[in-house]
Amino acid sequence: MNRIGVGMSRLHDSGDAVHEALNQAFQSSGLENADWLLVFFTPQHIAQSTEIYETLRVKSGTECIAGCSGLGVLSGMGEIFNDPGMVVMLGQTPGLEIIATCKYQELQDSAGVNQQLKEELERFGGQNPLFLFFPDVYQHQPYNFINTLNYVQSGPMVYGAGSCDDGSDRISVQFGSEGVVANGAGGLGFKGIPQYVAGVTQSCKTIGDPMFVTDFEDDLVLTLDGTPALEVFSKVAAELEFDDIEAAARQLLISFPLDPEEPKFEGEFSMVRHLIGIDVARQGIRVSQIVERGTVVSFAYRSAVSARDDMNAMLERMKKESESPPSFGIYFNCAARGEALYGKTDVDIQMIHEQLGDFPLAGMFGGYEMAKVPDGLQLYTYTGVLVLVYLE
């Protein structure tokens, strides 16, 4: 029989917090020991990460422990952001094979983290295993992981978020069966899951019609539909009544649809990126995304209304996959969502449970999001990535 439990703590003391969250998880599951354990914790607990790991290992009865630090944590009990928080999910799932791993590059000439992960996943094997992934955001380029994980022979279905702190120390921590690493990458893999469903929800609303990049140089977009890009940008900024071009550059975003032939800007079908600069002399804008002639783009801005609509649409699509609630779910949320987007906490959590029912849910707020979609593993920002697992 499959059993899953979740616990959450808001206690400031890390030792007290891990005991509280772990005890709640055992109580909610009815278990005395676990096959696997997943933990997320806020920056306030990073300094005690080794002690947290050891407590989990001793008290849970398993060394199959995965997890990481993030800007915030969440569960069905709510979201914790800016305050100390820890969430523990544990499970007893006899029909599954599970791997918990964390990697770091010990020496300059030793195998890179992405290569170590590839080798670990290929040893794990299976066909399209589910892999929950927590890479460091400070010392590793996400595209290096994407380029490697897209070519693992077993074709893992990868979903995750960038592990981080609040930016003050630029450190992240990852857990695995190997122990604890800093500024590495970790994950939890499952083989034998009968069914799982994943979705991506966007936070941003696009402005106007899609445009083609008609001239560019590296990351500098020079013209859009033949018009100087800065002129188009300034027009959009004026329509939205930004005070000045600097304010607009901080708040306006660029959305890239995955399919330029049939551009869509909702759900998994588009990626939102920051503007990273303005070139007044050349009338261009710099974007944090590789572009080429013919790339389709649209300006966008964060919108709580649009985010709610897109979340509900995603949940409706996912609900059609199964009439019963999932056995458990993992939600990777952008740090710019939650209260920072809606003005209040627990909005996404409430929508998830209203649409899908009551089930064990755990997750984190990260520096970016990743999701495997039909076009391959993608890097997302300003999104929520929800994974639902069905074991019955």
Side-chain angles (χ1 to χ4, degrees), residues 143 218-221 253-254 256 271-277 285-291 379 381-382:
Y143 288 109
D218 297 326
D219 61 355
L220 181 65
V221 177
L253 305 161
I254 301 285
F256 295 80
M271 303 173 296
V272 174
R273 297 291 186 263
H274 288 282
L275 292 173
I276 58 174
I285 56 175
R286 294 193 182 277
V287 298
S288 55
Q289 174 73 15
I290 297 172
V291 296
L379 174 68
T381 56
Y382 297 100

Side-chain angles (χ1 to χ4, degrees), residues 75-77 315 348-361:
S75 75
M77 293 167 270
L315 293 172
D348 285 352
I349 304 301
Q350 290 171 4
M351 285 192 286
I352 289 170
H353 286 302
E354 285 171 3
Q355 287 259 25
L356 302 176
D358 188 27
F359 61 92
L361 177 68

Side-chain angles (χ1 to χ4, degrees), residues 175-238:
F175 289 175
S177 295
E178 303 92 333
V180 181
V181 301
N183 297 110
L188 185 66
F190 297 89
K191 286 194 301 188
I193 292 176
Q195 180 187 11
Y196 56 86
V197 182
V200 179
T201 184
Q202 298 281 342
S203 301
C204 298
K205 181 178 179 61
T206 55
I207 307 164
D209 296 325
M211 299 167 287
F212 288 103
V213 175
T214 45
D215 194 13
F216 72 102
E217 186 176 296
D218 297 326
D219 61 355
L220 181 65
V221 177
L222 294 169
T223 63
L224 294 167
D225 285 348
T227 303
L230 186 55
E231 180 181 327
V232 179
F233 170 81
S234 299
K235 182 179 179 181
V236 171

